[in-house]
Amino acid sequence: MSTPIGRTRARGVETLSLDATGTRNALSASLVSGLANALAGCAEDEDVRAVVLTHTGTTFSAGADLRDPPAPDALVGLLRQIVELPKPVVARVTGHVRAGGLGLLAACDIAAASAAATFAFTEVRIGVAPAVISLPVIPRADPRALARHYLTGERFDPAEAVRLGLLTTTADDVDEALAPILDGLRRSSPQALAETKRLLTARVLETFDRDAAHLTALSARLFASGQAREGMTAFLEKRDAAWVV
């Protein structure tokens, strides 16, 4: 079985592409494992200065794969791995980002999206909460703006994602926007990048240390609930959940 992660390299920048378009790059057990393995390889490779995380197809990630979900501990491990990686991780988005996909985005050090991108924390609409992904999201995002999107599941655009703190920048041409950023990373000392990233991520990692066990348990409890079963069934059947008024 082929890994759902594409890999290319150019001048020290390793590009990892989520490549499971049949499931809209949903976070399945195999995709999470494949991405974790690719990131581990990047961490050990002295020729890799930075990592770009992007996607094939029109969706960066649709969130958790409801048919083949990863273990909550595996998703926590992946998010922490991105935060702790001793190389900068840059998200490049040209499509839709939903639920767990926003956790990946928040775990990255820098994130850029094209004007075509859309975003939504859709967990509340299927009867669960954005529990595990809160580990990187809450420390990085504006609390008042985040409350609206966590509680309503509304779709929002790249400009709002920048205002929330989930994106660094947005542009019609995302590669044009990323060019000076990647050039800056290529000009930076590997040692300096690793230590500077450590400074920037200290508060995020404190959240992982304090809250990971509680949020993992919360996620498992909610996904096993009756409301979640109804919400996921309604989503798969493309109908409103029973609680919609």
Side-chain angles (χ1 to χ4, degrees):
M1 181 174 158
S2 62
T3 178
I5 306 297
R7 301 183 69 166
T8 60
R9 187 178 301 182
R11 294 177 51 217
V13 175
E14 184 90 352
T15 296
L16 304 179
S17 300
L18 306 182
D19 189 18
T21 54
T23 59
R24 298 191 303 142
N25 295 321
L27 299 176
S28 64
S30 62
L31 188 145
V32 167
S33 174
L35 181 54
N37 289 337
L39 288 166
C42 292
E44 297 296 324
D45 191 335
E46 293 183 358
D47 293 330
V48 174
R49 184 64 51 81
V51 176
V52 170
L53 180 59
T54 189
H55 59 103
T56 58
T58 59
T59 302
F60 177 77
S61 177
D65 188 328
L66 301 182
R67 292 187 171 92
D68 179 29
D73 286 344
L75 182 55
V76 170
L78 175 63
L79 296 175
R80 181 162 193 147
Q81 185 180 13
I82 294 170
V83 174
E84 285 189 317
L85 202 79
K87 321 281 177 82
V89 182
V90 179
R92 174 190 176 276
V93 178
T94 61
H96 310 301
V97 191
R98 299 290 184 267
L102 282 155
L104 289 183
L105 203 65
C108 293
D109 303 289
I110 296 169
S114 73
T118 68
F119 308 85
F121 292 100
T122 51
E123 289 89 346
V124 288
R125 298 196 178 191
I126 63 165
V128 297
V132 167
I133 68 167
S134 288
L135 292 166
V137 169
I138 287 180
R140 296 199 192 274
D142 173 79
R144 179 61 71 187
L146 185 62
R148 170 178 177 170
H149 296 292
Y150 258 31
L151 291 169
T152 67
E154 291 173 278
R155 187 170 67 181
F156 54 96
D157 64 14
E160 177 71 353
V162 171
R163 188 174 79 85
L164 259 70
L166 297 172
L167 285 181
T168 308
T169 188
T170 181
D172 290 336
D173 186 334
V174 69
D175 293 312
E176 185 176 295
L178 282 174
I181 293 171
L182 297 180
D183 181 62
L185 297 176
R186 288 181 172 113
R187 292 175 178 273
S188 301
S189 147
Q191 171 183 275
L193 287 175
E195 293 303 325
T196 302
K197 174 167 177 172
R198 194 188 304 272
L199 293 172
L200 291 166
T201 57
R203 189 163 66 93
V204 182
L205 290 172
E206 287 174 3
T207 303
F208 274 82
D209 292 338
R210 184 186 67 238
D211 297 334
H214 163 67
L215 293 177
T216 300
L218 174 62
S219 178
R221 176 170 64 81
L222 291 175
F223 269 96
S225 69
Q227 286 193 25
R229 285 192 294 275
E230 163 60 13
M232 289 185 281
T233 300
F235 173 79
L236 294 171
E237 293 178 353
K238 296 180 169 48
R239 61 171 174 81
D240 284 343
W243 59 74
V244 174
V245 294

